[in-house]
Amino acid sequence: MTIDQLMNWIPFGADWPALAFFAAVLVCALTVFLFIAVYALMAIYGEVKISSFMQDKVGPMGQGVGFHAGKWGLLQPVADAVKLILKEDIIPTLADKKLFIMAPFVVFIGAFISFAALPFNQHTVVSDLNIGIFYILAVGSLSVIGIILAGWGSNNKWSLYGGMRSAAQIVSYEIPAALSIITVIMLTGTLSMQGIIEFQKGTIWVILPNWIIFNNPFSFIAFFIFFISGVAECNRTPFDIPEAESELVAGAFTEYSGMRYAFFFLSEYAEMFVISAVATTAFLGGWNSPISGFFDGPGWGLFWFMGKSLFLVFVMLWFRWTFPRLRVDQLMSICWKVFLPFALVNIFGVAIWSLIIG
Amino acid sequence: MSRYFRNIFESISTLMTGLGITWRHMIRIRKDNVTLQYPEERWPRPERNIGFDFSEYNIIRSRLQVDIDDCIGCLKCERACPVQCIKIVTVKSGAKGEDLMDIGHTGLTSNGTKKALIVTRFDIDMSECCYCNLCVYPCPEDCIYMTGGPNSKKHPIDYEFSQYDRNDLIFKFAKEVEEEKMAKYLPQKEKVEA
Amino acid sequence: MGIVHGDLMTLNIGPQHPSTHGVLRLKVKTDGEIIADVEPVIGYLHRCFEKHCENVTYDQVIPYTDRCDYIAAMNNNFGYAVAVEELMDLKVPERVEYIRVIVSELNRIASHLLALGTFGLDVGAFTPFLYMFRDRERILDLFEVLCGARLLYNYIWVGGLSHDFPNGFEEKIIDFLDYFEPQLDEYNNILTFNKIFIERTADVGVMPAEVAISYGVSGPNLRGSGVKWDLRKDDPYSIYDKFDFNIPVGTGTVGTIGDCWDRYYVRMLEMSESINIVRQAIKALPSGDVHQALPKKIRPPKGSVYKRTESPRGDLGYYIESDGSPIPYRLKMRSPAFTALSVMGEISSGWMMSDVLAILGSLDIVLGEIDR
Amino acid sequence: MSDEQTKLIQEAVAKALAGNMDMINNIEDRVTRSKAKAALVKAKREAKKGAATSEETPSEEIVQAESPPEKSLNQKVAEAIEKKFPASLAGDDVDGHIQLTGANWFEIAHYLKDNPDFLFDSLQCVTGFDLGIENDLEVRYNLHSMTHNHTIEIRIQTDRKNPKIPSVEQVWRIGDWFERETYDMYGIIFEGHRNMTRILLPDDWEGWPLRKDYETQETYHGIVVQKVKDGWE
């Protein structure tokens, strides 16, 4: 539902438009926050369990008498959350207090406001901006400022390393990601998220859904470039050098504890979802059903969208628990020497392809 | 240029191999699982009595236990200990091999040896014990042993003897006796000490 | 490419740090990400091993040797026992020798598994570490059946062993080896030939052979530099001359000879050689009493001995001086990890922050042995 | 491997053997380069082996011709040292070890390392030693040659009051840490060592712990050092 619809429902909307707008935004914001919180708990549980399964163990399991972590450890993330909330809030004496306090929120805001343009199904989108995908790319990189603030504000050498690495990394990986999105925009001719999804309706080659990833070989490559750049932007393994725990202890987040650390955590998971959702929207048909004409409708739309996005989140977890970490210079060389040329070639390729075939 | 593409191809193929392995492990978790849910499931103790011919050897590393009634106070275990975590004090008993019921002293060990010494103190500091088992071998009466294993008839296994206070880990095995009762057995202050 | 030299920043890696393998402190001077100088600061785990040894009898030293290199305690026991036996001119029964070889080779596998796993952890791969630990657990289970302890065995005694093999133990070992051999391929697939891992380790921290020898580096680290030197072959102690096995050396398959990857891969190959040795030893295992040569009282004659054995980390030497009493007059342990760590400053300057920890991981140090 | 590569490698190895390493280092392809280096190592090893065998054969003949009682390695080393550095041997008994005075130890160490007959390129172990409360301190060096696979032990005594021995840290780099450790435990000062500080113990530790007359500090940083555990007299 867009904000406009929500405003129409509000009884005093006509009389107090400003107030109604504020109320509608508040409702949306709270809903999104709730969504992020619940999703993060689920994702933490998923990460714990999936990593355990990959490593031949079972993760948290509540068994036997007493109030353990619930059946199959389902209450474990809740327990983690409670622990993080109750923990002592430590601010180092020599830290730059203002920056130190501000940093988690700046990071979180970047991930949080991206949700405004995510189309969950045909109708559910906070605001269907006409420059939706551009907006998400723009605000998504806000988090880098937060991480630099955290790195600088902590007054810790490890944090500084983490912050600096993160700045270099995220800024670099914005470019291949954006260039891959350009191929999508060239095909669809629109920046609106819903518009991009509408474009991907129907089928191509009889049974294959008309998703952009299947549209032509170049967009197929573009999907992978975008997704891997996205992984790098979320600071996930193999690109987690800003918080590389075996080198930098916890990188930019070394000095954080309790709720402040939880915010970093939350925004990391939120960002993962945003990247996955954008990849879903731009390449995997958004809320479109894989079998065209079947399982359509708002409910199914939500299901498909969430299913595809969560699958991509799972792939990120899968990466994390399989790969070693790259070194900072290798990370850069992959970005500039592999992804960037490929992304540029993709743009030309798509242009020529749509001239000839389309 | 070909190296550039070969690198990319190698990366993709080797990384896919890795992903395949973790995927296989993930879907086979029911078979591969190695976790034990600790308080409910315990690690199976190695089967000792089944396959072992060497029942006289106590091959378990656990808490030390002393059957004080069998102890003759020979101090062999104390001398064998590399970390000096055993402390024994003995007193010469007037009558060799006789029961002294008022201080709970038995005259004969279960092997039938006559005891000449009364053990007044037998402390083991398990917080210092290095579980090397060296004190067990020299004991002539087999009265000091690690719990469990072949000794489980005498004493069940005790791996989890955690305490809140460090001093609670000092186990005192000698029978506590009031000093007045003890006094008459002290033969003119001839204290034997290690 | 010119490098702009700014002010150097001093960074303390450790003593509390996730990947210093214990309480090690690296005083690092950095120029941005580039390392200018590394100075290891050790001694945080000093437990006066040598002073202790001058106060306890020869058989009481064995539990202390366990605690030096706690990852490969069997090999430490072995080295000490061999040294004292040479001092006493003691001949041990053949069955004892075979069992010693079997357990110390199994322990070598366990130690290498830990080394490789934590090395993977240092470069960020979490899952292989747990796979390797899972298999290491199986070896420790075997040892628990054997002597009751999982880590600090006090198993190999001067002149013999504390226990014989239990019945059916040989089959258990064979079972384990049959299970374990295919796992090596899995490790190779998930970690060794992973492109990211190769990128991180190949050509990094190259240790030329001359540097390695001058720094007294030994064992897999030296072999990683392409020097074919293994005490089991070149100065055979115990009964290692009876077995047929290869000495893997670093060949620079994916980079330069002597880089981190070579040191890693030498360990990987050594595990299969150890499997090979254990199989041969079990096949030829004679019967006999393991306790018959145990001396009643260990009183070596006056004199000194320096005996080296090949522990998983390299040449483990014991220098023992006896004055004829049951207590060693002087016991010095030449620990391979000590020498391996000293080369750290030489080979890690000029590399990047992340590489320093990769190099440290590839050297496979155990702080218990360095600080003693 | 293509013929071109093989040719390149052969050429590079030939040049490197002649002393010009540039060509080998300038090979662009990493695989080829490493292969070339491997080939170079192999070639060098073969050359060395050839040289060794050619050296050994005549010496064996001489031994067979004269057939004197075969000299042990220790005797050979002792003789060589005596010849090159007179009056540096302390004691004639060279069966188990070689006792030196320590005056020319640094030069002797260089000589032992570089002499092609001995090539003691590896310092195995440096052991500090206390000969008794009344007597001197001693340092024992176990040397080893990777090429010849032989070992010797060298002992140097030094005065207890003013223990000083030349450092061999610059001969064998591992001497650096070994000597620091010996200094740490015995207080023997190695002259010429570039960083003679404690290594295992804290810098402000008092006394030399492994000396036989060592007594534990009463307090350390205000903490009373417990000699006996509480309740464990």
Side-chain angles (χ1 to χ4, degrees):
Chain A
M1 79 201 74
T2 59
I3 284 212
D4 303 327
Q5 272 175 323
L6 208 61
M7 274 170 74
N8 291 338
W9 291 349
I10 292 172
F12 52 84
D15 305 330
W16 308 84
L19 198 64
F21 177 73
F22 186 72
V25 167
L26 203 67
V27 168
C28 291
L30 282 177
T31 320
V32 168
F33 187 78
L34 208 68
F35 171 80
I36 291 178
V38 172
Y39 149 79
L41 288 186
M42 275 167 53
I44 291 170
Y45 181 72
E47 173 134 37
V48 167
K49 279 296 185 189
I50 288 166
S51 65
S52 305
F53 290 165
M54 283 175 177
Q55 296 161 352
D56 286 356
K57 52 195 180 100
V58 289
M61 294 288 268
Q63 277 193 352
V65 285
F67 192 67
H68 289 291
K71 182 89 177 153
W72 306 313
L74 275 168
L75 291 177
Q76 186 65 43
V78 180
D80 285 347
V82 169
K83 182 202 78 173
L84 283 173
I85 291 167
L86 294 181
K87 232 176 176 183
E88 188 191 353
D89 175 35
I90 299 167
I91 300 176
T93 327
L94 291 177
D96 190 331
K97 258 193 195 146
K98 279 177 202 153
L99 302 187
F100 189 83
I101 293 169
M102 208 158 79
F105 299 108
V106 174
V107 173
F108 185 67
I109 285 167
F112 179 67
I113 56 179
S114 307
F115 276 77
L118 291 184
F120 286 88
N121 67 10
Q122 287 85 329
H123 313 296
T124 317
V125 50
V126 174
S127 175
D128 185 15
L129 301 172
N130 56 354
I131 51 158
I133 203 156
F134 178 68
Y135 165 78
I136 290 179
L137 284 179
V139 300
S141 48
L142 254 184
S143 61
V144 64
I145 298 172
I147 294 180
I148 295 176
L149 288 185
W152 178 258
S154 304
N155 195 10
N156 178 319
K157 285 167 184 169
W158 303 114
S159 305
L160 188 62
Y161 265 116
M164 288 302 146
R165 283 179 175 192
S166 160
Q169 172 182 346
I170 294 181
V171 169
S172 313
Y173 274 89
E174 286 281 301
I175 296 164
L179 288 177
S180 324
I181 290 294
I182 284 178
T183 60
V184 176
I185 296 166
M186 284 165 73
L187 284 169
T188 58
T190 173
L191 288 168
S192 153
M193 298 290 267
Q194 294 287 29
I196 291 169
I197 296 174
E198 290 290 336
F199 175 84
Q200 302 180 51
K201 274 193 168 162
T203 53
I204 184 170
W205 300 338
V206 189
I207 49 160
L208 220 53
N210 183 23
W211 298 349
I212 288 177
I213 183 173
F214 300 126
N215 193 291
N216 62 54
F218 300 103
S219 56
F220 185 77
I221 297 171
F223 166 70
F224 288 100
I225 291 178
F226 176 77
F227 183 64
I228 295 171
S229 309
V231 175
E233 272 185 67
C234 305
N235 299 337
R236 299 284 296 184
T237 320
F239 309 103
D240 67 339
I241 53 159
E243 52 168 312
E245 78 268 5
S246 65
E247 297 152 23
L248 298 188
V249 189
F253 318 135
T254 308
E255 296 287 356
Y256 283 90
S257 66
M259 212 46 212
R260 290 184 211 285
Y261 181 71
F263 262 97
F264 282 119
F265 222 66
L266 213 60
S267 42
E268 181 182 326
Y269 280 97
E271 219 164 296
M272 278 161 70
F273 186 81
V274 171
I275 294 292
S276 305
V278 172
T280 307
T281 309
F283 293 96
L284 299 180
W287 35 257
N288 281 319
S289 148
I291 307 155
S292 182
F294 295 93
F295 310 120
D296 273 340
W300 280 111
L302 185 65
F303 172 77
W304 289 124
F305 179 81
M306 290 301 284
K308 289 169 192 171
S309 305
L310 290 181
F311 174 74
L312 290 182
V313 171
F314 163 74
V315 173
M316 287 191 190
L317 301 184
W318 192 7
F319 280 177
R320 169 156 187 187
W321 298 106
T322 307
F323 297 144
R325 181 182 306 117
L326 282 161
R327 202 170 59 203
V328 61
D329 62 324
Q330 289 160 352
L331 187 89
M332 288 297 156
S333 72
I334 287 178
C335 175
W336 295 106
K337 289 184 185 163
V338 181
F339 286 169
L340 195 63
F342 270 80
L344 286 171
V345 168
N346 270 339
I347 292 174
F348 288 107
V350 168
I352 293 162
W353 183 278
S354 35
L355 266 182
I356 296 169
I357 309 253
Chain B
M1 198 62 185
S2 73
R3 219 179 108 211
Y4 176 81
F5 284 107
R6 207 178 59 228
N7 258 339
I8 293 173
F9 173 73
E10 267 177 19
S11 314
I12 294 170
S13 65
T14 55
L15 298 189
M16 291 307 271
T17 320
L19 287 175
I21 288 172
T22 40
W23 176 264
R24 263 207 312 284
H25 276 276
M26 192 178 75
I27 57 174
R28 282 197 327 216
I29 179 65
R30 281 186 185 282
K31 197 168 134 278
D32 286 354
N33 175 26
V34 291
T35 311
L36 285 180
Q37 295 300 323
Y38 165 62
E40 283 75 37
E41 299 168 40
R42 301 273 168 111
W43 194 249
R45 299 266 86 79
E47 306 150 353
R48 239 163 241 92
N49 294 328
I50 301 165
F52 282 73
D53 287 337
F54 314 97
S55 51
E56 72 265 34
Y57 288 105
N58 179 1
I59 53 148
I60 192 156
R61 308 290 173 94
S62 172
R63 188 163 78 77
L64 279 170
Q65 174 71 25
V66 180
D67 293 341
I68 197 68
D69 282 347
D70 284 353
C71 179
I72 56 170
C74 63
L75 304 185
K76 275 187 181 167
C77 49
E78 187 183 315
R79 277 189 221 113
C81 183
V83 290
Q84 281 94 46
C85 78
I86 303 176
K87 188 80 195 167
I88 304 173
V89 176
T90 55
V91 171
K92 216 172 229 169
S93 113
K96 194 177 173 186
E98 274 178 30
D99 289 1
L100 306 168
M101 289 323 288
D102 50 345
I103 57 164
H105 174 78
T106 44
L108 293 176
T109 67
S110 49
N111 287 359
T113 317
K114 288 178 182 170
K115 294 207 277 192
L117 298 165
I118 305 171
V119 180
T120 57
R121 179 179 175 191
F122 199 128
D123 294 357
I124 298 180
D125 187 351
M126 289 309 289
S127 64
E128 284 198 357
C129 175
C130 71
Y131 301 91
C132 62
N133 230 349
L134 281 176
C135 54
V136 175
Y137 304 104
C139 184
E141 300 291 329
D142 293 338
C143 76
I144 182 167
Y145 53 85
M146 296 222 166
T147 58
N151 304 310
S152 52
K153 275 169 266 162
K154 293 195 237 170
H155 200 287
I157 195 151
D158 187 7
Y159 270 100
E160 298 127 340
F161 51 98
S162 56
Q163 301 288 349
Y164 284 103
D165 191 346
R166 192 183 286 182
N167 285 330
D168 293 346
L169 283 170
I170 299 177
F171 289 86
K172 294 181 163 47
F173 292 102
K175 285 171 183 153
E176 285 192 19
V177 182
E178 292 154 33
E179 274 194 22
E180 302 96 60
K181 283 185 179 175
M182 199 65 226
K184 62 179 176 185
Y185 297 108
L186 293 177
Q188 273 81 48
K189 288 188 179 175
E190 267 189 25
K191 257 194 168 178
V192 182
E193 204 161 304
Chain C
M1 194 176 66
I3 295 172
V4 183
H5 286 286
D7 286 345
L8 296 182
M9 178 165 91
T10 309
L11 189 67
N12 272 316
I13 304 184
Q16 286 90 28
H17 188 273
S19 51
T20 48
H21 296 239
V23 277
L24 165 71
R25 174 169 156 226
L26 293 175
K27 231 198 268 180
V28 176
K29 288 210 167 59
T30 62
D31 179 13
E33 286 274 345
I34 311 286
I35 300 296
D37 185 27
V38 178
E39 189 197 340
V41 180
I42 60 173
Y44 290 92
L45 210 58
H46 182 55
R47 290 146 304 161
C48 327
F49 169 68
E50 285 162 20
K51 189 78 183 167
H52 271 304
C53 291
E54 291 176 13
N55 291 303
V56 294
T57 57
Y58 280 94
D59 48 347
Q60 287 175 348
V61 170
I62 297 174
Y64 284 102
T65 63
D66 277 337
R67 282 152 181 82
C68 282
D69 182 356
Y70 41 81
I71 310 296
M74 284 290 185
N75 295 72
N76 277 29
N77 290 177
F78 195 7
Y80 175 74
V82 168
V84 179
E85 278 155 17
E86 185 166 313
L87 193 59
M88 293 172 72
D89 209 8
L90 196 71
K91 187 94 184 79
V92 295
E94 205 173 359
R95 183 177 171 83
V96 173
E97 299 273 32
Y98 273 95
I99 291 180
R100 283 178 176 183
V101 168
I102 291 170
V103 292
S104 62
E105 290 305 317
L106 281 176
N107 207 337
R108 189 186 308 276
I109 296 174
S111 165
H112 281 345
L113 281 175
L114 184 127
L116 303 181
T118 49
F119 182 39
L121 203 58
D122 284 349
V123 296
F126 212 106
T127 305
F129 165 72
L130 282 151
Y131 290 165
M132 290 176 187
F133 254 59
R134 176 196 64 198
D135 297 337
R136 178 172 171 267
E137 274 307 289
R138 287 186 168 237
I139 298 179
L140 300 190
D141 290 346
L142 284 177
F143 286 150
E144 192 183 1
V145 173
L146 181 62
C147 61
R150 295 174 70 79
L151 210 57
L152 306 164
Y153 310 107
N154 185 19
Y155 179 68
I156 295 174
W157 284 357
V158 177
L161 306 165
S162 70
H163 312 94
D164 201 343
F165 272 0
N167 294 346
F169 192 66
E170 293 90 331
E171 286 81 60
K172 276 191 170 177
I173 295 176
I174 295 285
D175 280 353
F176 165 74
L177 296 181
D178 289 343
Y179 155 83
F180 180 65
E181 249 176 331
Q183 300 292 329
L184 286 174
D185 293 338
E186 193 174 279
Y187 302 154
N188 280 338
N189 282 334
I190 195 172
L191 191 60
T192 314
F193 295 110
N194 186 313
K195 188 71 183 169
I196 298 178
F197 182 73
I198 290 177
E199 284 292 321
R200 276 301 300 279
T201 54
D203 286 328
V204 169
V206 179
M207 177 157 64
E210 310 86 66
V211 171
I213 291 173
S214 175
Y215 272 92
V217 176
S218 50
N221 297 331
L222 181 63
R223 293 194 279 278
S225 299
V227 181
K228 204 164 184 159
W229 172 257
D230 189 324
L231 280 171
R232 291 174 294 172
K233 267 262 195 295
D234 290 299
D235 185 10
Y237 54 96
S238 190
I239 48 160
Y240 273 109
D241 43 356
K242 290 189 185 172
F243 300 113
D244 174 35
F245 60 97
N246 300 323
I247 306 170
V249 288
T251 51
T253 317
V254 295
T256 327
I257 292 180
D259 57 10
C260 289
W261 194 87
D262 270 350
R263 291 196 280 276
Y264 167 92
Y265 197 55
V266 160
R267 293 200 170 88
M268 202 57 122
L269 296 175
E270 248 176 48
M271 287 202 287
S272 52
E273 293 304 325
S274 290
I275 294 173
N276 186 9
I277 296 173
V278 174
R279 279 193 198 281
Q280 290 176 37
I282 286 186
K283 210 174 262 173
L285 186 65
S287 56
D289 183 9
V290 298
H291 296 112
Q292 69 184 34
L294 280 179
K296 273 267 175 294
K297 189 110 193 168
I298 304 172
R299 254 178 202 279
K302 260 190 175 182
S304 67
V305 68
Y306 177 68
K307 188 69 187 167
R308 297 171 298 166
T309 53
E310 181 78 18
S311 98
R313 262 152 274 280
D315 296 7
L316 172 72
Y318 282 98
Y319 189 99
I320 303 173
E321 168 88 19
S322 159
D323 59 351
S325 70
I327 293 173
Y329 185 76
R330 169 83 169 106
L331 196 151
K332 155 100 186 174
M333 180 186 185
R334 185 255 193 217
S335 65
F338 185 79
T339 56
L341 183 64
S342 74
V343 80
M344 189 72 200
E346 174 88 20
I347 60 172
S348 59
S349 54
W351 296 102
M352 300 185 90
M353 255 304 290
S354 323
D355 293 331
V356 169
L357 296 159
I359 293 168
L360 185 69
S362 75
L363 287 174
D364 181 23
I365 52 163
V366 170
L367 263 295
E369 195 184 37
I370 291 172
D371 294 343
R372 279 159 286 151
Chain D
M1 199 164 31
S2 65
D3 292 354
E4 206 181 314
Q5 266 182 318
T6 331
K7 212 171 147 193
L8 185 70
I9 289 173
Q10 280 172 357
E11 219 173 281
V13 168
K15 277 204 175 162
L17 280 176
N20 182 6
M21 286 293 282
D22 287 352
M23 179 153 182
I24 245 180
N25 289 333
N26 288 341
I27 296 176
E28 289 221 324
D29 185 22
R30 189 201 281 166
V31 178
T32 323
R33 189 169 65 224
S34 57
K35 273 177 184 162
K37 283 193 176 168
L40 173 62
V41 170
K42 205 173 162 189
K44 274 187 179 168
R45 200 178 290 152
E46 271 168 14
K48 207 178 273 174
K49 210 185 277 171
T53 43
S54 60
E55 271 176 22
E56 270 171 25
T57 24
S59 65
E60 271 175 24
E61 279 167 14
I62 291 166
V63 168
Q64 278 170 359
E66 295 177 4
S67 68
E70 210 166 303
K71 279 179 192 165
S72 72
L73 174 71
N74 278 24
Q75 279 165 345
K76 274 192 235 167
V77 174
E79 264 173 34
I81 292 176
E82 184 66 48
K83 213 160 120 192
K84 184 104 190 207
F85 304 95
S88 57
L89 281 186
D92 303 327
D93 179 30
V94 291
D95 278 347
H97 57 268
I98 296 166
Q99 192 88 35
L100 297 181
T101 53
N104 293 325
W105 172 224
F106 180 75
E107 289 79 14
I108 293 172
H110 253 303
Y111 172 71
L112 289 178
K113 190 188 177 189
D114 296 338
N115 189 324
D117 289 343
F118 307 133
L119 279 177
F120 288 110
D121 50 4
S122 165
L123 176 61
Q124 284 287 319
C125 185
V126 176
T127 313
F129 205 85
D130 188 345
L131 292 169
I133 297 171
E134 305 291 311
N135 298 327
D136 283 349
L137 298 175
E138 194 173 68
V139 180
R140 299 178 175 182
Y141 298 82
N142 290 85
L143 304 180
H144 169 77
S145 165
M146 287 279 176
T147 341
H148 298 304
N149 195 2
H150 55 214
T151 51
I152 54 165
E153 184 178 325
I154 283 175
R155 298 183 180 178
I156 298 171
Q157 283 193 9
T158 177
D159 183 37
R160 192 183 191 81
K161 294 271 148 49
N162 183 23
K164 275 193 177 131
I165 287 178
S167 165
V168 290
E169 171 235 348
Q170 291 175 39
V171 184
W172 299 284
R173 288 295 291 120
I174 183 56
D176 184 353
W177 278 27
F178 275 150
E179 284 173 358
R180 275 177 73 188
E181 195 195 340
T182 313
Y183 166 75
D184 199 354
M185 296 299 167
Y186 286 93
I188 298 169
I189 292 165
F190 291 88
E191 287 173 312
H193 192 289
R194 286 171 287 189
N195 182 18
M196 197 83 252
T197 48
R198 285 188 182 268
I199 187 167
L200 291 175
L201 301 179
D203 284 340
D204 54 357
W205 195 261
E206 289 166 20
W208 313 107
L210 281 184
R211 286 197 189 182
K212 294 286 174 190
D213 55 355
Y214 171 70
E215 275 176 21
T216 322
Q217 290 167 273
E218 289 294 317
T219 57
Y220 180 68
H221 284 288
I223 307 163
V224 177
V225 179
Q226 270 196 351
K227 301 260 164 60
V228 182
K229 197 166 65 163
D230 285 342
W232 209 256
E233 70 288 336

